[in-house]
């Protein structure tokens, strides 16, 4: 049983560009959450998707958007990239109605 | 707003000694408290969690205690080993697929 997977593992972009990150949840998990982890800090909640809709959102600008597909996989899109968007982006999945979240390996984004 | 404070930020202990990490949370509605271990360049891994209807939980060398009145919770690692070296994050959530609010992390080093 594969755990949470994410792609790509690393990405380099320049300011102003757009990026799409992908996540496949653990088998049987229907809820996907995205977090941003800056160097030396704890993960910060971006948003959560359930039944293909954004259910909760953290304190991130509209440049951050997402999508969930019928197979529960999810995408995170960031537009108009800023240098400060450089971080490790983590996806976590959970079972229906469960609080426990399991993390993927993350995508390390560097914005130059 | 919702906040989790964690201390110390760094902790160095002799191999075989115990390590204690303490956290406080601000939202009294929080009812689920996971702890994650993150090794360098890897994903956060859930090591233990506790729910608000329990005051203490133990799993081999790891234990967590929760004081709901004071809004404090702590991680205790006994008989520390070199492989315990990592960054540890406490977190709080309102459970049931809610977002997780992380502390700022504790870098634990085990001295041989």
């Amino acid at each position: 049983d594969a755990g949470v997977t994410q792609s790509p593992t690393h990405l380099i972009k320049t300011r102003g560009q757009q990026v799409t990150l992908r996540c496949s949840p653990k088998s049987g998990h229907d809820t996907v959450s995205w977090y941003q982890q800056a160097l030396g800090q704890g993960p910060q909640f971006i948003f959560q998707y359930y039944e293909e809709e954004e259910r909760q959102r953290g304190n991130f600008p509209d440049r951050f958007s997402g999508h969930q597909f019928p197979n529960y996989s999810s995408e995170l899109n960031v537009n108009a990239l800023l240098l400060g968007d450089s971080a490790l982006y983590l996806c976590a999945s959970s079972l229906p109605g469960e609080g426990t979240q399991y993390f993927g390996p993350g995508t390390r984004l560097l914005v130059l | 707003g919702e906040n989790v404070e964690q201390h110390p930020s760094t902790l160095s202990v002799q191999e075989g000694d115990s390590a204690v990490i303490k956290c406080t949370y601000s939202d009294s509605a929080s009812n689920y408290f996971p702890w994650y271990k993150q090794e360098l360049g890897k994903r956060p891994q859930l090591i233990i969690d506790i729910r608000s209807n329990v005051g203490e939980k133990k799993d081999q060398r790891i234990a967590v205690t929760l004081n709901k009145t004071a809004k404090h919770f702590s991680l205790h690692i006994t008989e520390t080993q070199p492989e315990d070296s990592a960054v540890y994050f406490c977190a709080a959530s309102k459970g049931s697929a809610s977002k997780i609010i992380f502390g700022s992390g504790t870098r634990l080093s085990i001295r041989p």
Side-chain angles (χ1 to χ4, degrees), chain B residues 58-80:
Chain B
K58 190 173 180 181
D59 182 5
Q60 299 183 335
R61 296 186 297 109
I62 294 174
V64 59
T65 59
L66 171 65
N67 181 331
K68 283 189 297 184
T69 304
K71 292 191 274 187
H72 289 174
F73 58 117
S74 301
L75 177 74
H76 304 250
I77 306 174
T78 59
E79 300 173 17
T80 52

mmCIF file of all heavy atoms in Angstrom, chain B residues 58-80:
data_model
loop_
_atom_site.group_PDB
_atom_site.id
_atom_site.type_symbol
_atom_site.label_atom_id
_atom_site.label_comp_id
_atom_site.label_asym_id
_atom_site.label_seq_id
_atom_site.Cartn_x
_atom_site.Cartn_y
_atom_site.Cartn_z
ATOM 1 N N LYS B 58 1.267 6.337 26.208
ATOM 2 C CA LYS B 58 2.650 5.882 26.123
ATOM 3 C C LYS B 58 2.801 4.851 25.013
ATOM 4 O O LYS B 58 1.917 4.030 24.785
ATOM 5 C CB LYS B 58 3.060 5.266 27.461
ATOM 6 C CG LYS B 58 4.543 4.976 27.582
ATOM 7 C CD LYS B 58 4.898 4.524 28.991
ATOM 8 C CE LYS B 58 6.396 4.251 29.081
ATOM 9 N NZ LYS B 58 6.790 3.784 30.419
ATOM 10 N N ASP B 59 3.936 4.915 24.320
ATOM 11 C CA ASP B 59 4.265 3.943 23.282
ATOM 12 C C ASP B 59 5.755 3.670 23.372
ATOM 13 O O ASP B 59 6.569 4.452 22.889
ATOM 14 C CB ASP B 59 3.885 4.471 21.895
ATOM 15 C CG ASP B 59 4.163 3.464 20.791
ATOM 16 O OD1 ASP B 59 4.561 2.322 21.085
ATOM 17 O OD2 ASP B 59 3.969 3.824 19.609
ATOM 18 N N GLN B 60 6.108 2.615 24.045
ATOM 19 C CA GLN B 60 7.499 2.217 24.266
ATOM 20 C C GLN B 60 8.257 3.341 24.962
ATOM 21 O O GLN B 60 7.931 3.681 26.106
ATOM 22 C CB GLN B 60 8.142 1.795 22.938
ATOM 23 C CG GLN B 60 7.428 0.603 22.306
ATOM 24 C CD GLN B 60 8.083 0.116 21.030
ATOM 25 O OE1 GLN B 60 8.773 0.852 20.331
ATOM 26 N NE2 GLN B 60 7.865 -1.143 20.702
ATOM 27 N N ARG B 61 9.238 3.957 24.321
ATOM 28 C CA ARG B 61 10.049 4.978 24.986
ATOM 29 C C ARG B 61 9.442 6.381 24.894
ATOM 30 O O ARG B 61 10.022 7.346 25.406
ATOM 31 C CB ARG B 61 11.453 5.004 24.368
ATOM 32 C CG ARG B 61 12.242 3.725 24.555
ATOM 33 C CD ARG B 61 13.682 3.883 24.028
ATOM 34 N NE ARG B 61 13.730 4.142 22.592
ATOM 35 C CZ ARG B 61 14.061 5.320 22.057
ATOM 36 N NH1 ARG B 61 14.355 6.348 22.807
ATOM 37 N NH2 ARG B 61 14.107 5.454 20.731
ATOM 38 N N ILE B 62 8.330 6.490 24.233
ATOM 39 C CA ILE B 62 7.723 7.801 24.010
ATOM 40 C C ILE B 62 6.414 7.921 24.788
ATOM 41 O O ILE B 62 5.616 6.979 24.800
ATOM 42 C CB ILE B 62 7.454 8.014 22.505
ATOM 43 C CG1 ILE B 62 8.774 8.082 21.746
ATOM 44 C CG2 ILE B 62 6.656 9.279 22.259
ATOM 45 C CD1 ILE B 62 8.607 8.138 20.246
ATOM 46 N N ALA B 63 6.214 9.065 25.426
ATOM 47 C CA ALA B 63 4.967 9.312 26.136
ATOM 48 C C ALA B 63 4.545 10.760 25.908
ATOM 49 O O ALA B 63 5.384 11.630 25.702
ATOM 50 C CB ALA B 63 5.121 9.040 27.628
ATOM 51 N N VAL B 64 3.260 10.980 25.931
ATOM 52 C CA VAL B 64 2.729 12.331 25.810
ATOM 53 C C VAL B 64 1.734 12.560 26.935
ATOM 54 O O VAL B 64 0.984 11.658 27.297
ATOM 55 C CB VAL B 64 2.104 12.570 24.423
ATOM 56 C CG1 VAL B 64 0.982 11.600 24.138
ATOM 57 C CG2 VAL B 64 1.624 13.992 24.267
ATOM 58 N N THR B 65 1.773 13.756 27.524
ATOM 59 C CA THR B 65 0.827 14.123 28.570
ATOM 60 C C THR B 65 0.055 15.357 28.130
ATOM 61 O O THR B 65 0.573 16.183 27.365
ATOM 62 C CB THR B 65 1.549 14.424 29.896
ATOM 63 O OG1 THR B 65 2.484 15.491 29.679
ATOM 64 C CG2 THR B 65 2.290 13.201 30.401
ATOM 65 N N LEU B 66 -1.155 15.490 28.590
ATOM 66 C CA LEU B 66 -2.020 16.608 28.214
ATOM 67 C C LEU B 66 -2.696 17.162 29.459
ATOM 68 O O LEU B 66 -3.277 16.416 30.252
ATOM 69 C CB LEU B 66 -3.079 16.134 27.211
ATOM 70 C CG LEU B 66 -4.201 17.118 26.872
ATOM 71 C CD1 LEU B 66 -3.643 18.344 26.144
ATOM 72 C CD2 LEU B 66 -5.270 16.437 26.027
ATOM 73 N N ASN B 67 -2.614 18.472 29.624
ATOM 74 C CA ASN B 67 -3.315 19.172 30.694
ATOM 75 C C ASN B 67 -4.270 20.151 30.022
ATOM 76 O O ASN B 67 -3.870 21.238 29.606
ATOM 77 C CB ASN B 67 -2.310 19.902 31.605
ATOM 78 C CG ASN B 67 -2.987 20.625 32.752
ATOM 79 O OD1 ASN B 67 -4.136 21.056 32.661
ATOM 80 N ND2 ASN B 67 -2.271 20.779 33.846
ATOM 81 N N LYS B 68 -5.532 19.757 29.894
ATOM 82 C CA LYS B 68 -6.514 20.584 29.167
ATOM 83 C C LYS B 68 -6.780 21.900 29.869
ATOM 84 O O LYS B 68 -6.994 22.927 29.229
ATOM 85 C CB LYS B 68 -7.827 19.810 29.012
ATOM 86 C CG LYS B 68 -7.804 18.749 27.950
ATOM 87 C CD LYS B 68 -9.191 18.199 27.724
ATOM 88 C CE LYS B 68 -9.733 17.526 28.962
ATOM 89 N NZ LYS B 68 -11.060 16.908 28.720
ATOM 90 N N THR B 69 -6.779 21.875 31.197
ATOM 91 C CA THR B 69 -7.076 23.087 31.956
ATOM 92 C C THR B 69 -6.041 24.164 31.669
ATOM 93 O O THR B 69 -6.375 25.326 31.446
ATOM 94 C CB THR B 69 -7.126 22.782 33.456
ATOM 95 O OG1 THR B 69 -8.086 21.741 33.697
ATOM 96 C CG2 THR B 69 -7.498 24.018 34.255
ATOM 97 N N ALA B 70 -4.776 23.751 31.700
ATOM 98 C CA ALA B 70 -3.682 24.692 31.467
ATOM 99 C C ALA B 70 -3.364 24.857 29.980
ATOM 100 O O ALA B 70 -2.543 25.696 29.617
ATOM 101 C CB ALA B 70 -2.439 24.232 32.221
ATOM 102 N N LYS B 71 -3.968 24.046 29.140
ATOM 103 C CA LYS B 71 -3.699 24.029 27.701
ATOM 104 C C LYS B 71 -2.222 23.771 27.427
ATOM 105 O O LYS B 71 -1.586 24.452 26.609
ATOM 106 C CB LYS B 71 -4.210 25.311 27.034
ATOM 107 C CG LYS B 71 -5.731 25.385 27.039
ATOM 108 C CD LYS B 71 -6.291 26.489 26.158
ATOM 109 C CE LYS B 71 -6.337 27.769 26.913
ATOM 110 N NZ LYS B 71 -7.016 28.865 26.172
ATOM 111 N N HIS B 72 -1.679 22.778 28.146
ATOM 112 C CA HIS B 72 -0.297 22.354 27.979
ATOM 113 C C HIS B 72 -0.263 20.904 27.547
ATOM 114 O O HIS B 72 -1.082 20.092 28.008
ATOM 115 C CB HIS B 72 0.470 22.432 29.311
ATOM 116 C CG HIS B 72 0.751 23.815 29.778
ATOM 117 N ND1 HIS B 72 1.321 24.074 31.006
ATOM 118 C CD2 HIS B 72 0.565 25.020 29.193
ATOM 119 C CE1 HIS B 72 1.456 25.384 31.148
ATOM 120 N NE2 HIS B 72 1.004 25.974 30.081
ATOM 121 N N PHE B 73 0.714 20.553 26.710
ATOM 122 C CA PHE B 73 0.973 19.145 26.441
ATOM 123 C C PHE B 73 2.470 18.963 26.204
ATOM 124 O O PHE B 73 3.158 19.911 25.808
ATOM 125 C CB PHE B 73 0.124 18.593 25.297
ATOM 126 C CG PHE B 73 0.264 19.281 23.965
ATOM 127 C CD1 PHE B 73 0.748 18.594 22.872
ATOM 128 C CD2 PHE B 73 -0.142 20.600 23.772
ATOM 129 C CE1 PHE B 73 0.857 19.191 21.628
ATOM 130 C CE2 PHE B 73 -0.037 21.210 22.537
ATOM 131 C CZ PHE B 73 0.456 20.506 21.467
ATOM 132 N N SER B 74 2.959 17.784 26.527
ATOM 133 C CA SER B 74 4.395 17.544 26.515
ATOM 134 C C SER B 74 4.721 16.183 25.920
ATOM 135 O O SER B 74 3.931 15.247 26.024
ATOM 136 C CB SER B 74 4.961 17.582 27.945
ATOM 137 O OG SER B 74 4.723 18.818 28.557
ATOM 138 N N LEU B 75 5.916 16.116 25.347
ATOM 139 C CA LEU B 75 6.458 14.862 24.806
ATOM 140 C C LEU B 75 7.641 14.453 25.662
ATOM 141 O O LEU B 75 8.510 15.285 25.956
ATOM 142 C CB LEU B 75 6.910 15.049 23.356
ATOM 143 C CG LEU B 75 7.560 13.842 22.686
ATOM 144 C CD1 LEU B 75 6.494 12.794 22.359
ATOM 145 C CD2 LEU B 75 8.296 14.250 21.411
ATOM 146 N N HIS B 76 7.659 13.195 26.075
ATOM 147 C CA HIS B 76 8.752 12.668 26.875
ATOM 148 C C HIS B 76 9.377 11.495 26.113
ATOM 149 O O HIS B 76 8.659 10.563 25.730
ATOM 150 C CB HIS B 76 8.239 12.158 28.225
ATOM 151 C CG HIS B 76 7.495 13.193 29.015
ATOM 152 N ND1 HIS B 76 7.989 13.751 30.166
ATOM 153 C CD2 HIS B 76 6.290 13.784 28.804
ATOM 154 C CE1 HIS B 76 7.117 14.638 30.635
ATOM 155 N NE2 HIS B 76 6.073 14.670 29.826
ATOM 156 N N ILE B 77 10.685 11.564 25.919
ATOM 157 C CA ILE B 77 11.410 10.447 25.301
ATOM 158 C C ILE B 77 12.403 9.936 26.335
ATOM 159 O O ILE B 77 13.249 10.702 26.823
ATOM 160 C CB ILE B 77 12.159 10.874 24.034
ATOM 161 C CG1 ILE B 77 11.213 11.550 23.039
ATOM 162 C CG2 ILE B 77 12.824 9.651 23.378
ATOM 163 C CD1 ILE B 77 11.911 12.123 21.811
ATOM 164 N N THR B 78 12.301 8.683 26.700
ATOM 165 C CA THR B 78 13.227 8.092 27.672
ATOM 166 C C THR B 78 14.283 7.259 26.952
ATOM 167 O O THR B 78 14.117 6.882 25.785
ATOM 168 C CB THR B 78 12.467 7.200 28.666
ATOM 169 O OG1 THR B 78 11.787 6.167 27.933
ATOM 170 C CG2 THR B 78 11.449 7.990 29.467
ATOM 171 N N GLU B 79 15.389 7.027 27.665
ATOM 172 C CA GLU B 79 16.487 6.191 27.136
ATOM 173 C C GLU B 79 16.827 6.596 25.709
ATOM 174 O O GLU B 79 16.839 5.755 24.795
ATOM 175 C CB GLU B 79 16.087 4.714 27.205
ATOM 176 C CG GLU B 79 15.792 4.238 28.623
ATOM 177 C CD GLU B 79 15.222 2.821 28.643
ATOM 178 O OE1 GLU B 79 15.339 2.095 27.633
ATOM 179 O OE2 GLU B 79 14.645 2.456 29.674
ATOM 180 N N THR B 80 17.138 7.870 25.516
ATOM 181 C CA THR B 80 17.356 8.386 24.168
ATOM 182 C C THR B 80 18.491 7.658 23.446
ATOM 183 O O THR B 80 19.482 7.228 24.060
ATOM 184 C CB THR B 80 17.650 9.889 24.191
ATOM 185 O OG1 THR B 80 18.719 10.134 25.111
ATOM 186 C CG2 THR B 80 16.422 10.674 24.596
#
